């Protein structure tokens, strides 16, 4: 999710899911839902009619015939890649051309071979093609340029000496150095901004300023979601960003001490261009771009992803929808058969990101 990563930290990433990452493990999210307390089938995992495989990639036909739902957004994402990354564009020139021709002809999965496209399905974390899919987004923080009223929580630019822990920064280690970019009305929102790696700040004038990832203090990230589960504060199966928010509302006097248990701290820079970019430096299109483990799925790879549909409470509806996506980001917790899906900007995208920890198949199109 390097939101970066620039956008999303992901850079430091990582995804709303990342707050939860260690809860069951990517960013960012819940990684091992195969434990006895959780039924993977409730999160979109399927086993019937599938054979077990130890191969990371296997040649396979796409046997989901529901149709690709985001053809236009995918072509926009490819256009962004061509405009912003000559390296990726040249590497995948032939692949992008044949996939684009297939999409413009209707994106019928039965016609992939006719365009020289070879789909390879990923084994999934269980060997039955069930790939973990989490979400990340670009939050909107309400803030002011100076401390006033309820706006008392600073968002900092990168200092020359960055080796301070979160606890030391909260205690004032960076005060008086002219590093304050903004003062928000929520310590937790600032924290989640760091988890996502970037986001937008609303100074109350009707305009949104994009704060991009500038760096991190060098300390290892500790997932507060996992800590709350380990402390018995929130049941593992109930963990989500909203659950953390609810806990913070019930325990305002304990929030800072919880956050300080994660010594990692992210710094930002004001980016006037205002485009949400991933680690590849390419502007991201919602649900047409993903964060991947680059050692397995390199930046620029085109994926056909079965995205599980969930309701407003995070329950899987029983449906998967096919999306074409490009790997353009990374995430600290995105490893192996785990992808972090960029959801977009604002509260709605954040709500879904916080709930998405489900399974679907992923085909790499080569």
């Amino acid at each position: 999710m390097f939101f970066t990563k620039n956008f999303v930290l992901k850079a430091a990433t990582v995804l709303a899911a990342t707050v939860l990452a260690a809860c069951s493990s990517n960013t960012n999210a819940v990684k091992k839902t195969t434990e006895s307390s959780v039924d993977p089938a409730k999160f979109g995992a399927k086993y019937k009619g599938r054979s077990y495989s130890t191969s990371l990639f296997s040649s396979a036909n796409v046997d989901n015939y529901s149709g690709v739902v985001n053809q236009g957004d995918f072509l926009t994402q490819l256009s962004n890649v061509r405009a912003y990354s000559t390296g990726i564009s040249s590497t995948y020139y032939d692949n992008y051309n044949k996939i684009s021709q297939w999409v413009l002809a209707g994106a019928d999965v039965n016609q992939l071979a006719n365009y020289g496209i070879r789909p390879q399905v990923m084994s999934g974390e269980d060997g039955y093609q069930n790939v973990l899919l989490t979400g990340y987004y670009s939050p909107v923080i309400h803030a002011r340029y100076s401390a006033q009223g309820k706006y008392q929580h600073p968002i900092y630019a990168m200092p020359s000496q960055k080796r301070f822990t979160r606890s030391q920064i909260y205690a004032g280690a960076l005060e008086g150095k002219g590093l304050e970019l903004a003062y928000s009305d929520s310590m937790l929102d600032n924290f989640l901004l760091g988890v996502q790696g970037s986001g937008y700040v609303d100074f109350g004038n009707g305009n949104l300023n994009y704060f991009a990832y500038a760096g991190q203090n060098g300390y290892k990230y500790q997932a507060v979601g996992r800590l709350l589960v380990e402390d018995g504060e929130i049941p593992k199966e109930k963990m989500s960003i909203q659950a953390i928010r609810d806990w913070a509302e019930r325990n305002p006097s304990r929030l800072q001490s919880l956050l300080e248990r994660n010594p990692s701290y992210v710094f930002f820079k004001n980016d006037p261009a205002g485009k949400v970019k991933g680690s590849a430096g390419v502007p991201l299109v919602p649900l047409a771009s993903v964060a991947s483990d680059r050692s397995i799925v390199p930046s620029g790879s085109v994926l056909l992803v079965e995205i599980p549909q969930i309701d407003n409470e995070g329950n899987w509806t029983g449906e998967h929808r096919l999306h074409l996506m490009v790997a353009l980001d990374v995430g600290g917790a995105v490893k192996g058969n785990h992808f972090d899906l960029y959801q977009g900007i604002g509260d709605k995208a954040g709500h879904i990101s916080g709930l998405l920890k489900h399974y679907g198949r992923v085909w790499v199109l080569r």
Side-chain angles (χ1 to χ4, degrees):
M1 295 130 326
F2 150 130
F3 240 139
T4 308
K5 270 166 195 270
N6 266 344
F7 166 75
V8 171
L9 179 6
K10 279 170 181 319
T13 138
V14 256
L15 43 96
T18 304
V19 174
L20 314 176
C23 287
S24 7
S25 108
N26 101 227
T27 313
N28 268 272
V30 177
K31 181 133 181 152
K32 296 265 185 194
T33 54
T34 54
E35 299 180 9
S36 59
S37 62
V38 179
D39 179 5
K42 293 181 178 179
F43 292 84
K46 294 185 177 182
Y47 301 93
K48 186 177 180 180
R50 300 182 186 177
S51 57
Y52 177 81
S53 174
T54 57
S55 299
L56 181 58
F57 301 99
S58 300
S59 296
N61 294 326
V62 178
D63 56 359
N64 182 321
Y65 307 109
S66 59
V68 177
V69 301
N70 72 327
Q71 298 175 36
D73 286 343
F74 170 73
L75 292 175
T76 299
Q77 186 65 84
L78 276 192
S79 177
N80 287 351
V81 174
R82 292 183 172 116
Y84 283 81
S85 179
T86 56
I88 291 177
S89 298
S90 60
T91 298
Y92 291 93
Y93 180 83
D94 291 336
N95 200 43
Y96 288 170
N97 281 346
K98 63 186 181 182
I99 291 174
S100 294
Q101 292 173 17
W102 169 69
V103 171
L104 291 171
D108 183 347
V109 297
N110 290 312
Q111 300 296 317
L112 284 167
N114 295 341
Y115 291 84
I117 302 169
R118 182 167 54 97
Q120 291 189 304
V121 68
M122 296 190 68
S123 64
E125 60 178 26
D126 56 7
Y128 288 93
Q129 303 172 16
N130 294 303
V131 175
L132 177 64
L133 303 173
T134 55
Y136 71 103
Y137 73 112
S138 187
V140 175
I141 303 294
H142 297 281
R144 297 293 183 266
Y145 290 105
S146 60
Q148 54 186 275
K150 63 181 180 179
Y151 299 98
Q152 297 292 329
H153 305 284
I155 300 172
Y156 287 111
M158 173 73 84
S160 56
Q161 157 60 344
K162 65 179 184 179
R163 193 70 180 177
F164 294 107
T165 65
R166 177 177 298 276
S167 178
Q168 290 173 319
I169 292 172
Y170 283 165
L174 299 180
E175 286 182 6
K177 301 181 184 296
L179 297 169
E180 293 85 356
L181 296 173
Y183 292 84
S184 86
D185 59 354
S186 171
M187 177 180 287
L188 181 58
D189 281 351
N190 286 10
F191 177 84
L192 295 176
L193 179 68
V195 169
Q196 295 304 320
S198 71
Y200 288 90
V201 174
D202 181 358
F203 285 105
N205 55 9
N207 297 317
L208 296 181
N209 289 256
Y210 183 62
F211 277 21
Y213 175 82
Q216 188 256 3
N217 64 348
Y219 288 88
K220 185 177 179 180
Y221 177 84
Q222 297 292 330
V224 298
R226 184 201 65 207
L227 296 175
L228 288 171
V229 170
E230 292 176 349
D231 292 348
E233 299 281 349
I234 300 175
K236 187 176 203 174
E237 63 275 13
K238 299 292 185 181
M239 176 52 63
S240 69
I241 295 297
Q242 188 57 51
I244 295 174
R245 289 189 181 279
D246 292 343
W247 180 90
E249 289 183 6
R250 296 192 304 269
N251 301 276
S253 64
R254 300 170 60 195
L255 175 61
Q256 181 170 329
S257 61
L258 170 68
L259 300 184
E260 287 178 350
R261 292 169 68 184
N262 171 27
S264 175
Y265 194 94
V266 173
F267 304 104
F268 297 92
K269 57 186 176 183
N270 193 0
D271 179 1
K275 293 183 182 295
V276 177
K277 297 178 182 178
S279 59
V282 176
L284 305 179
V285 176
L287 294 179
S289 58
V290 304
S292 68
D293 182 341
R294 286 189 296 199
S295 69
I296 297 174
V297 178
S299 293
S301 301
V302 176
L303 311 173
L304 187 60
V305 182
E306 272 187 339
I307 299 182
Q309 303 303 292
I310 61 176
D311 64 20
N312 207 43
E313 303 299 322
N315 300 306
W316 179 47
T317 66
E319 180 184 9
H320 288 85
R321 292 182 182 174
L322 289 176
H323 282 245
L324 280 163
M325 312 185 85
V326 185
L328 293 170
D329 215 343
V330 297
V334 179
K335 305 295 182 185
N337 280 264
H338 175 190
F339 292 92
D340 215 11
L341 315 183
Y342 176 55
Q343 302 287 323
I345 300 169
D347 293 344
K348 182 177 180 180
H351 181 74
I352 295 298
S353 296
L355 295 173
L356 185 63
K357 49 182 183 290
H358 295 66
Y359 294 94
R361 288 178 291 181
V362 175
W363 292 266
V364 180
L365 303 185
R366 304 185 190 277

